[in-house]
Amino acid sequence: MKKLLSTALISGTVLSTLMVSSWTYAEKYPRHTKEHIDFAKVVNVEPIYETVSYSEPYQECHYERRTVKNHKSHTAVIVGSLIGGAIGNELGHNKSNKRVGAIAGAILGGSIANDINRNNRHHYHNTRDERVCTTSQHVSYKEEITGYNVGYKYRGRTYYTTMDQHPGKKIRVAVNIRPVY
């Protein structure tokens, strides 16, 4: 057991020594590129145009004459029932006959008024002007600048890129330096 523990301890020490030495080597001789920011002169800027469509809603309205049919009125039936009931009540001789007469008169008066209403073929109509509107879309097209093709010069060489904004007279560039093997 002691032998196993000492072997593990020695192995861990060797491993950590190797790791520390490799980190030291990596700091001294980094394999990553070195990068810095510099400026390049803009030599050419061409806008990129694109046709863009816009849709805008609008309403068109006009007036239409509309006819509205009146609903049948039940007033005649109600009034006929009341009058018939009153007449039937007056014609009855005693209390019991008056009740029967009133009910019979009400039913008869209502029925007569209903028949008159049904046979009356003249329906009353109302006409009115109503505003009617429809919504449509008006589509228009416009040429818009959506970006820029940019030419720039850095250390005597010309490069090209596309940018969203106009760059101005110079642009920032990232310069990467790495060894060639």
Side-chain angles (χ1 to χ4, degrees), residues 159-170:
Y159 302 92
Y160 298 93
T161 190
T162 302
M163 301 179 80
D164 293 335
Q165 303 290 325
H166 191 285
K169 293 181 180 181
K170 59 184 179 176

Side-chain angles (χ1 to χ4, degrees), residues 133-144:
C133 297
T134 57
T135 302
S136 301
Q137 297 291 327
H138 177 72
V139 179
S140 61
Y141 298 93
K142 222 179 193 182
E143 290 284 316
E144 288 189 357

Side-chain angles (χ1 to χ4, degrees), residues 42-71:
V42 173
V43 293
N44 186 31
V45 177
E46 291 179 14
I48 301 169
Y49 290 96
E50 199 173 300
T51 302
V52 180
S53 67
Y54 294 95
S55 182
E56 188 175 318
Y58 68 95
Q59 271 193 340
E60 289 181 341
C61 297
H62 63 278
Y63 286 92
E64 286 183 7
R65 184 163 292 265
R66 302 272 173 123
T67 303
V68 180
K69 195 175 187 181
N70 284 343
H71 298 289

Side-chain angles (χ1 to χ4, degrees), residues 12-28:
T13 307
V14 170
L15 183 62
S16 41
T17 306
L18 285 174
M19 286 175 63
V20 168
S21 65
S22 67
W23 284 334
T24 307
Y25 179 81
E27 283 180 6
K28 237 182 198 181

Side-chain angles (χ1 to χ4, degrees), residues 51-116:
T51 302
V52 180
S53 67
Y54 294 95
S55 182
E56 188 175 318
Y58 68 95
Q59 271 193 340
E60 289 181 341
C61 297
H62 63 278
Y63 286 92
E64 286 183 7
R65 184 163 292 265
R66 302 272 173 123
T67 303
V68 180
K69 195 175 187 181
N70 284 343
H71 298 289
K72 282 187 179 178
S73 174
H74 297 289
T75 306
V77 176
I78 294 169
V79 170
S81 297
L82 290 174
I83 293 171
I87 291 171
N89 187 41
E90 284 300 315
L91 293 177
H93 296 296
N94 60 27
K95 193 174 188 177
S96 173
N97 282 344
K98 287 185 184 257
R99 283 189 203 149
V100 172
I103 292 171
I107 292 171
L108 184 62
S111 178
I112 292 169
N114 192 31
D115 290 343
I116 292 171

